[in-house]
Every structure is written in structure tokens, then in C-alpha cells.
Amino acid sequence: MIQFPETIAPISIQTSMKAAEGYAALTQDFNPIHLDEAFAAKTAFGRPIAHGTMALNLILEAMSRAADGAFYIADLDIRFTAPTYIGQTLTAQATQDDGALYRLEVKTEDGRLVLSGAARLAARVRG
């Protein structure tokens, strides 16, 4: 019987303008909502927001660490529920719901949920 990880250790990241600039270069997403304070001030957000996929990558990193190469994410269903503002700390956590199914959350330091969803792990076949 396959033993899926019971716990997924939470991990955190501090967003910053420097991190947003590096992430933009990595993903080729140079949208000014992330990088230009004057532009972002004129939007509904009122200030720069971190790339949404930064939160997604954080939860994927937490799942990857727990899987330790023995498992992979076979199914992923997520929703971005709120923006993350530059300067906020994000913490990703996952809880086992039923066997290979995990509930996912990424929250800011004040507890605001910015990403929620579910992931199903599958065992990696070693040949």
C-alpha cells in the first residue's frame, strides 16, 4: 500500500520589489502592476501586487519537498482568492484530506487567504 505524506510542512516567502523583479525576469511577466509603483497606484489595487503564480509556486514547493521525489502532483485545482501586495509574507500549507488528496492554502501574515484549492498526489514509478 502506498503511504502518502501525512503532513506537508508550511513554508513562507517574503515578497519584495526585488523578488518581483527577479520573478518577472524568470517568467517574462513584466506587467507594470507588479513592477511600477506609479502605475499600480492608479489601479484598483492602489499599489504593486506580487505575481499570483508566486503563491502557486510556493505551494508547489511545499508539496514537492514533502513528496521527496516519490510522488508527483497528478491533479491540481486552485483559485486565486485575493491579491498579494509587495512586502507581504506568504505561507503555504497543505493538509491531507483523504489519502492522496490534499487541501491547499496560501495566506498572508495577517491570515488573509490568497490561494486555495486541492491537489492529488500519485506515486512515481521507478523503473
Side-chain angles (χ1 to χ4, degrees):
M1 184 164 128
I2 297 171
Q3 286 293 104
F4 292 98
E6 289 182 27
T7 60
I8 308 294
I11 61 173
S12 298
I13 189 172
Q14 172 72 43
T15 65
S16 66
M17 190 55 75
K18 184 176 179 177
E21 290 166 355
Y23 197 82
L26 180 69
T27 62
Q28 296 298 296
D29 180 355
F30 296 99
N31 188 321
I33 193 67
H34 307 301
L35 304 170
D36 185 332
E37 290 184 40
F39 175 87
K42 297 175 188 169
T43 70
F45 300 112
R47 56 188 169 163
I49 59 171
H51 296 76
T53 52
M54 195 178 287
L56 174 58
N57 281 311
L58 188 63
I59 195 69
L60 294 177
E61 176 65 20
M63 297 292 291
S64 177
R65 288 180 186 184
D68 196 28
F71 305 99
Y72 65 95
I73 297 174
D75 188 38
L76 180 67
D77 180 20
I78 60 114
R79 289 193 178 18
F80 296 103
T81 56
T84 300
Y85 295 101
I86 298 295
Q88 290 187 304
T89 298
L90 297 177
T91 299
Q93 62 183 32
T95 54
Q96 192 175 29
D97 192 28
D98 181 31
L101 182 66
Y102 293 81
R103 295 287 161 207
L104 314 175
E105 292 185 338
V106 178
K107 294 181 178 181
T108 60
E109 68 273 11
D110 61 359
R112 189 170 42 93
L113 187 67
V114 298
L115 180 149
S116 67
R120 184 172 302 283
L121 293 181
R124 190 171 302 281
V125 177
R126 304 277 183 197

